[in-house]
Amino acid sequence: MADHGADGAAASIDQSVLATFCFVDIAGYTALTDSHGERAAADLVDDFTGLVHAAVDRLGTVQELSGDNAFLVFPDPMVAMQALSQLYRAIADKRNVPLVRAGLHHGPALLRAHRYFGSTVNIAARTAAQAIGGEILCTRVVADALVLHDWGGAATFEQRGPVALKNLPEPIDLVAITLSNLTRRYVIDPVCQMQVDVRQANNSLFLGGRQWWFCSDACTRRFEKTPGAFLHDRPGN
């Protein structure tokens, strides 16, 4: 059973709620810590915390912030997307910051002492774990509500089909959302997973049929030493 939220009084009246639950985290956080150290990781978490509150506080609830992970609650999928669009736009405009990933599910849950319980919360968390950096992944019920809105080309929806999620008996239909109006001249440093502005990158190398860009000399040297360690996807932590 899920147990997410701020501390509350032990005695409380149970309340059934219908909401959109969202988990957001920093993709590549462990890689960044390994490459740039604990102070850079702590600074990044501080920045992430401020960006999350700026995007969410007027529209929903920051239920829990733990390190590089945020648990958010919204009244419905459209409001959730408004907040996520603002968050993703703010991150897209920052150099040398990793991408984030998010997972959404909408449905009933039990609210007790400021904590949410139930499979809806669990599915939202498992959905987020399937997302890659820069992606918003949602369940079918969320996608069905969002596609009714005219996005004017600002968002595209890609069917991922049934996906087996950890500790759930049946596969869940997932849909990937791409915010197409957030395209920037950024690439991902393969070592630390930071966004790098190609116009101001410290170094670049051509290897494996493509150009790689780096945020620092240190990341360039690590890549040159063992490129095979970084030539694969690192969507999570």
Side-chain angles (χ1 to χ4, degrees), residues 27-147:
Y29 180 72
T30 300
L32 180 138
T33 304
D34 179 60
S35 299
H36 295 286
E38 294 84 357
R39 186 177 298 277
D43 290 343
L44 176 62
V45 167
D46 287 344
D47 288 343
F48 176 67
T49 298
L51 291 171
V52 167
H53 277 291
V56 174
D57 284 348
R58 295 182 300 104
L59 299 169
T61 301
V62 179
Q63 182 68 18
E64 183 178 345
L65 266 167
S66 177
D68 69 319
N69 189 289
F71 174 34
L72 314 174
V73 184
F74 301 97
D76 59 60
M78 275 302 305
V79 174
M81 278 300 297
Q82 290 177 36
L84 287 178
S85 295
Q86 181 175 333
L87 175 63
Y88 276 52
R89 185 179 301 110
I91 290 172
D93 284 330
K94 295 178 76 70
R95 297 181 59 229
N96 295 339
V97 173
L99 298 173
V100 295
R101 58 178 183 164
L104 295 158
H105 185 42
H106 181 84
L110 176 71
L111 177 60
R112 174 187 292 177
H114 307 294
R115 296 175 181 266
Y116 291 94
F117 298 83
S119 61
T120 302
V121 180
N122 291 337
I123 291 172
R126 301 303 187 206
T127 299
Q130 295 291 319
I132 63 173
E135 185 175 68
I136 299 170
L137 203 58
C138 68
T139 57
R140 170 68 60 183
V141 65
V142 172
D144 287 347
L146 293 176
V147 296

